[in-house]
Amino acid sequence: MQNAPESSLVGEEYEVEVGPVAHGGHCIARTEEGRVLFVRHTLPGEKIVARITEGEEDSRFLRADAVRIIEASKDRVEAPCPYSGPGNCGGCDWQHAKPGAQRRLKGEVIAEQLQRLAGLTPEEAGWDGTVVPAEGDKLPKGEVPAWRTRVQYAIDTEGRAGLRKHRSHDVQPIDHCMIAAPGVTELGIEKQDWSQMASVEAIAATGSNDRQVILTPRPGGRLPLVELDKPVSVLRVEERDGGVHRVHGRAFVRERADERTYRVGMGGFWQVHPQAADILVKAVMQGLMPRKGESALDLYCGVGLFAGAIAERIGEGGAVLGIESTKRAVEDARHNLQDLERVRIEHGKVEQVLPRTGITETDLIVLDPPRAGAGKQTVKHLAGLGARRIAYVACDPAALARDLAYFREGGYKPRTLRAFDLFPMTHHVECVAILEPTDKGA
């Protein structure tokens, strides 16, 4: 490991008063010299000692950890997880905050991003300012929602399973992840020796008893004989091409939402919180209010969650086109919706496939883009299709706000915005914005 440059401030400590929360799981503070710090493990209003973890003399800002609390916030609690805190596991951001405070912090981040990137107040976005927890996630003091149905374990040099430290490749070995769903915990991943593996992903479906592990060997590593505490299918990531291949058991897990069963193959995308798929489908359908015979687009459609929900509601006279870039997800979507002749799934990137379809108008659009958002060109195209309503599902409030600004340029405004706390203890939050044409009459 190289020594830090002479101008490095890593390890320096500053006594500071903490300002507002910022997007990314940290708060903003300033040193007496005016240096900007992004500080983890603290809360707005606290007085702390911050230790620099990244940055040099000429850095625009510095990253830091709160290593001593001088004056604590009333929202601070003792972190329930023994692996939380400076220098430890980077998986959770807000273990040290009361659950209600976590949701308020997420709400403040959404409001700040909407204002800064889209020029929207909560009222203009149709949002009441709240971040809603999933049913069942309100627990007694000291208990943590066990919601994470997919956990990617990193493996250290001694073959122990753990989680990455914040902004680091270093591994924090663990014997239990508090936010892991029971179906993941019961596999006993942390008790095994994974010496020749680089990572082990564990998946516990909520729509069935399906359990799956995906093994990524180190270069030249041989697969272990996998004997876990529960029946499980095993997949392997190939060193040669990065493809995922079945070793034994099913190549997919079965998930369930909106009274349909969905096949999700080879570790493909599905919402991680066990209630998320149903919560998001309900929010999108309530916002779009599909009518019989309408046409719809489901963009970045994954295994067909929203396409299936819309198709059920528009009836045989309607039509749904889904577009998805991942080949395996397209295969799954076609399988999952094969009973719905009014659904067509196309493979490719939205920005490339959509112009080729020749579609010039549609009634409804739902888009659930990756964390970076849809982008200006795609939003411009969508705004020109004349949809009466658009549902935008977003896992990143910054990307949502940027795209809302582009939609405004294209003649669409938010009708409603709802925020859901589907990633407790982390800084992540899910939003659903329903848009309609700006010139829509009362």
Side-chain angles (χ1 to χ4, degrees):
M1 182 177 172
Q2 295 181 333
N3 293 327
E6 286 187 18
S7 61
S8 172
L9 294 174
V10 173
E12 293 289 318
E13 294 187 354
Y14 298 89
E15 187 175 304
V16 294
E17 291 189 3
V18 180
V21 65
H23 184 28
H26 45 248
C27 297
I28 298 173
R30 290 181 184 272
T31 67
E32 289 183 355
E33 304 81 32
R35 293 183 184 278
V36 176
L37 308 183
F38 288 166
V39 191
R40 283 171 55 83
H41 310 294
T42 189
L43 293 167
E46 292 190 324
K47 191 172 184 180
I48 64 163
V49 173
R51 181 181 297 154
I52 306 304
T53 56
E54 287 182 44
E56 301 176 16
E57 289 279 358
D58 59 352
S59 296
R60 203 159 49 88
F61 60 85
L62 307 172
R63 296 185 182 274
D65 284 337
V67 294
R68 187 154 60 89
I69 311 301
I70 300 169
E71 294 177 11
S73 164
K74 62 179 175 49
D75 290 324
R76 176 173 285 275
V77 295
E78 189 73 30
C81 178
Y83 305 109
S84 177
N88 294 326
C89 172
C92 291
D93 306 291
W94 301 119
Q95 286 266 350
H96 59 285
K98 293 177 182 176
Q102 294 182 34
R103 293 191 286 273
R104 286 198 302 276
L105 292 170
K106 295 181 188 192
E108 289 170 19
V109 168
I110 296 169
E112 189 270 337
Q113 297 292 304
L114 287 172
Q115 182 63 60
R116 185 166 62 86
L117 299 175
L120 292 169
T121 64
E123 292 75 21
E124 289 168 333
W127 177 45
D128 64 5
T130 64
V131 176
V132 181
E135 189 177 340
D137 277 358
K138 288 188 174 181
L139 297 170
K141 185 178 179 181
E143 291 188 30
V144 172
W147 58 271
R148 195 167 189 93
T149 60
R150 293 170 176 233
V151 177
Q152 178 95 33
Y153 295 91
I155 309 301
D156 73 5
T157 54
E158 297 178 35
R160 297 175 299 181
L163 298 168
R164 300 276 184 200
K165 297 183 178 183
H166 183 60
R167 293 176 61 83
S168 170
H169 291 293
D170 295 342
V171 179
Q172 168 67 61
I174 64 171
D175 58 18
H176 173 57
C177 175
M178 293 188 75
I179 64 171
V184 169
T185 299
E186 67 186 17
L187 293 176
I189 301 288
E190 300 94 339
K191 297 186 293 187
Q192 304 292 316
D193 179 357
W194 301 100
S195 294
Q196 302 207 43
M197 298 297 104
S199 69
V200 177
E201 183 176 6
I203 299 171
T206 52
S208 65
N209 289 322
D210 294 347
R211 304 287 180 266
Q212 191 175 81
V213 295
I214 303 173
L215 306 179
T216 303
R218 296 185 187 280
R222 297 178 61 185
L223 283 190
L225 183 64
V226 179
E227 293 183 356
L228 296 172
D229 294 351
K230 294 284 181 179
V232 65
S233 60
V234 179
L235 309 180
R236 170 196 176 117
V237 177
E238 290 293 341
E239 184 181 340
R240 184 179 65 258
D241 59 4
V244 183
H245 300 277
R246 183 176 68 89
V247 177
H248 70 75
R250 286 195 182 97
F252 57 86
V253 296
R254 293 162 297 175
E255 300 283 4
R256 193 155 176 83
D258 194 43
E259 300 183 3
R260 290 185 69 88
T261 297
Y262 289 85
R263 184 183 82 181
V264 184
M266 299 298 188
F269 176 78
W270 185 261
Q271 290 290 339
V272 179
H273 192 293
Q275 297 175 48
D278 273 322
I279 287 172
L280 296 175
V281 165
K282 185 177 179 181
V284 168
M285 294 305 112
Q286 286 177 341
L288 292 180
M289 293 195 301
R291 301 167 186 164
K292 296 294 184 185
E294 287 193 312
S295 61
L297 295 174
D298 180 9
L299 308 179
Y300 317 93
C301 71
V303 299
L305 175 65
F306 297 116
I310 294 172
E312 293 278 13
R313 290 159 174 82
I314 60 175
E316 294 181 5
V320 182
L321 171 66
I323 301 176
E324 167 58 40
S325 63
T326 306
K327 187 177 180 182
R328 177 62 203 228
V330 169
E331 293 171 4
D332 286 338
R334 288 171 178 166
H335 169 85
N336 295 332
L337 307 177
Q338 60 186 320
D339 61 312
L340 299 169
E341 293 183 0
R342 51 196 172 275
V343 178
R344 188 169 101 248
I345 307 294
E346 295 287 345
H347 174 228
K349 294 183 176 179
V350 168
E351 63 270 24
Q352 295 171 354
V353 174
L354 189 56
R356 293 204 304 262
T357 64
I359 292 172
T360 57
E361 59 182 8
T362 191
D363 297 304
L364 303 171
I365 299 171
V366 57
L367 64 158
D368 186 1
R371 193 168 298 279
K376 189 170 187 175
Q377 286 308 116
T378 296
V379 168
K380 183 179 179 181
H381 189 143
L382 298 180
L385 297 179
R388 68 173 179 85
R389 285 199 180 168
I390 299 172
Y392 189 126
V393 182
C395 62
D396 185 273
L400 171 65
R402 284 192 297 269
D403 284 347
L404 287 181
Y406 299 144
F407 270 114
R408 183 173 55 213
E409 293 173 10
Y412 278 81
K413 64 180 180 182
R415 175 186 174 91
T416 61
L417 189 148
R418 299 170 69 185
F420 302 96
D421 189 17
L422 302 180
F423 309 89
M425 302 290 154
T426 79
H427 74 271
H428 300 290
V429 62
E430 199 85 17
C431 295
V432 176
I434 304 298
L435 312 180
E436 63 183 9
T438 307
D439 59 4
K440 179 180 168 65

